[in-house]
Amino acid sequence: MPIRSRALTQLTLSAALLTLAVGSPPASAASGGHGAAALRIATYNIHAGSGMDNVFDLDRQAAALRALHADVIGLQEVDVHWDPRSQNLDVARELAKRLGMRVSFAPIYSLDPQAAGGPRREYGVAVLSRYPVRAAANHEITRLSTQDPNPVPAPAPGFGEVTLKVRGVPLQVFVTHLDYRADPSVRVAQVADTRRIMAAERRAVPGARQVLLGDFNAAPSAPELAPLWKELTDAGPASGGSYPADAPVQRIDYVAVGEGVRVRSAVVPDEAAASDHRPVVAEVALRR
């Protein structure tokens, strides 16, 4: 079985509490042709709601997300009552509210409040969805903490997963943020953990389709990512760079799809203001 953090029960409850009432599923999922269900999915490192100017502007961020017209969005660098840099807001919930989407948040860090009785300070990844979240998990992968002055690689939460159903097709959506350091050793371990967890989850739900969304902090050709491409397909090999947002020269943000998911197209929208990354959007079809 996959390793799950002790916060799993809390995460699942939070996902239920944060589920927002929305209308019918979007038209893009109505038919994928040839018995497939179409879906528009995206990944976006939102830089805690701040743009290249380092100004926190949640309205600007929501507008950028809305312009993606995506059915499912994986978010990285998400603050939940973290500190003044994001006005101590629950950024995950606020964005979901503005977009009329469901949300599931998976914290990497969950720290004691700064003041007694306040909410926990959390930072992590999230999934926004126009479909109900049927299940949610916060898996542990190897991490090198940024909160510990003398960190050592160790299992830690923040590899989020939600299970959706798109026109009868079960879909497991994973969202991740891999280590940023030049030394690839932690990413090597994270990729191994990711493959193990995704394989176990796939076996647990026969017929489920899988997508992996995230900031991998490595180029597609990086040796540490090579094992991922044994089971997954990079949706955007010709989509262009995603970082930095004002003049993207690196492609480190990914939509990756598993067996039974066909990529129709992928683009990096010309969005340079809302974050220090650009989003990546892919049109896919889920085989029934």
Side-chain angles (χ1 to χ4, degrees):
M1 293 297 291
I3 299 173
R4 296 172 186 261
S5 80
R6 58 186 174 80
L8 172 58
T9 302
Q10 178 183 355
L11 171 69
T12 305
L13 176 60
S14 297
L17 292 175
L18 290 174
T19 296
L20 305 177
V22 298
S24 301
S28 65
S31 176
H34 304 291
L39 196 68
R40 187 172 171 88
I41 54 180
T43 186
Y44 202 1
N45 181 325
I46 63 170
H47 196 215
S50 295
M52 290 294 297
D53 55 8
N54 285 318
V55 173
F56 177 76
D57 187 337
L58 211 56
D59 290 335
R60 177 174 64 180
Q61 184 70 81
L65 288 165
R66 190 177 297 111
L68 303 180
H69 303 292
D71 307 317
V72 178
I73 309 172
L75 303 177
Q76 303 85 48
E77 295 194 16
V78 182
D79 283 359
V80 171
H81 308 301
W82 184 250
D83 67 12
R85 75 179 181 187
S86 50
Q87 299 178 4
N88 293 299
L89 293 173
D90 182 337
V91 171
R93 188 184 183 94
E94 289 295 328
L95 288 173
K97 187 185 301 182
R98 283 165 167 78
L99 295 170
M101 299 177 78
R102 285 92 167 174
V103 63
S104 177
F105 172 69
I108 297 172
Y109 304 119
S110 184
L111 309 181
D112 290 337
Q114 292 179 323
R120 293 191 67 78
R121 301 176 54 236
E122 296 185 313
Y123 168 90
V125 300
V127 175
L128 300 177
S129 172
R130 299 198 185 281
Y131 294 88
V133 175
R134 294 173 175 261
N138 188 3
H139 301 281
E140 291 184 340
I141 61 174
T142 302
R143 294 195 182 279
L144 196 60
S145 174
T146 62
Q147 304 302 302
D148 186 336
N150 298 296
V152 295
F159 181 33
E161 176 193 359
V162 300
T163 300
L164 312 174
K165 188 164 280 190
V166 181
R167 295 196 69 215
V169 181
L171 176 66
Q172 296 171 333
V173 179
F174 298 86
V175 59
T176 195
H177 192 179
L178 300 187
D179 192 75
Y180 65 91
R181 296 166 179 87
D183 181 350
S185 58
V186 174
R187 286 192 299 278
V188 169
Q190 290 176 327
V191 166
D193 294 337
T194 297
R195 295 179 69 209
R196 172 179 49 80
I197 292 167
M198 292 183 69
E201 294 296 276
R202 185 168 58 249
R203 290 192 298 268
V205 185
R209 306 309 180 197
Q210 294 185 324
V211 297
L212 175 63
L213 311 173
D215 176 357
F216 295 179
N217 273 310
S221 60
E224 64 267 30
L225 297 189
L228 278 179
W229 310 133
K230 294 179 180 180
E231 294 94 15
L232 300 173
T233 298
D234 178 6
S239 59
S242 59
Y243 181 84
D246 57 349
V249 294
Q250 300 180 52
R251 193 162 78 83
I252 59 175
D253 299 279
Y254 296 84
V255 173
V257 305
E259 183 181 356
V261 183
R262 180 169 60 89
V263 178
R264 294 173 156 186
S265 64
V267 297
V268 175
D270 186 16
E271 170 52 64
S275 173
D276 62 342
H277 289 241
R278 292 191 180 190
V280 179
V281 186
E283 298 274 0
V284 305
L286 310 180
R287 191 174 70 231
R288 293 183 182 281

